[in-house]
């Protein structure tokens, strides 16, 4: 049951509308969003560096743009770190929830056109974050 539904949703046309182009950045995500961040770090040879939101408070994240990845836009530490960085670094959110606290805490929002009809094990955030990254 899950397999067929997951395949059907993954095979749908998925297009993210943005003119933002970055050559390097920090990518912050928690859970599946962090897994997406790690994938992008590997695919870009480290130009986009994956950082756990908890670790982000220990690093100097100035000098590069910072991208927060979250379908819901609700993870507490992503929001807290985005607010801390506001004004000292260009900040971006990749989210399906452009009215979330995370989206309101960053300089730029990239909306993921994500609407699942069903609740599945947490594979969607991972898949949907990889596409716009």
């Amino acid at each position: 049951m899950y397999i067929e539904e997951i395949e059907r949703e993954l095979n749908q046309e998925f297009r993210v509308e943005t003119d933002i182009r970055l050559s390097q950045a920090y990518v912050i995500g928690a859970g599946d969003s962090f897994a997406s961040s790690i994938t992008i770090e590997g695919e870009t040879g480290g130009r986009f560096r994956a950082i756990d939101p908890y670790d982000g408070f220990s690093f100097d994240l100035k000098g590069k743009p910072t991208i927060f990845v979250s379908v819901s836009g609700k993870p507490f530490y992503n929001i807290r770190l985005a607010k801390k960085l506001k004004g000292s670094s260009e900040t971006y959110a990749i989210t399906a929830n452009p009215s979330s606290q995370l989206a309101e805490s960053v300089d730029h929002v990239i909306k993921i056109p994500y609407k699942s009809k069903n609740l599945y094990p947490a594979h969607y955030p991972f898949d949907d974050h990889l596409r716009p990254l």
Side-chain angles (χ1 to χ4, degrees):
M1 175 170 111
Y2 283 139
I3 302 292
E4 293 83 15
E5 288 296 318
I6 290 169
E7 285 178 354
R8 191 173 306 118
E9 287 200 21
L10 287 176
N11 288 324
Q12 290 179 0
E13 181 66 26
F14 181 85
R15 189 168 290 277
V16 174
E17 302 293 330
T18 184
D19 59 354
I20 297 170
R21 300 287 182 260
L22 301 172
S23 61
Q24 61 180 343
Y26 298 113
V27 185
I28 311 286
D32 285 344
S33 299
F34 185 60
S36 298
S37 302
I38 292 170
T39 301
I40 295 308
E41 180 174 337
E43 290 292 320
T44 63
R47 290 181 298 115
F48 288 76
R49 182 171 177 211
I51 298 176
D52 181 277
Y54 305 106
D55 293 335
F57 288 98
S58 303
F59 295 136
D60 180 9
L61 299 178
K62 296 174 187 152
K64 280 188 189 178
T66 302
I67 303 168
F68 292 89
V69 182
S70 171
V71 170
S72 71
K74 296 179 181 179
F76 175 77
Y77 285 101
N78 284 3
I79 296 165
R80 192 169 151 205
L81 184 57
K83 288 179 179 179
K84 177 185 175 193
L85 292 175
K86 186 89 176 203
S88 65
S89 166
E90 281 290 301
T91 54
Y92 300 80
I94 295 177
T95 184
N97 187 356
S99 60
S100 66
Q101 278 190 310
L102 178 62
E104 293 172 0
S105 301
V106 298
D107 300 310
H108 309 278
V109 176
I110 300 166
K111 185 179 184 303
I112 300 170
Y114 171 75
K115 297 266 193 263
S116 180
K117 295 175 185 157
N118 302 298
L119 182 61
Y120 300 111
H123 80 282
Y124 283 108
F126 179 78
D127 295 335
D128 289 337
H129 288 139
L130 285 178
R131 295 177 191 194
L133 285 171

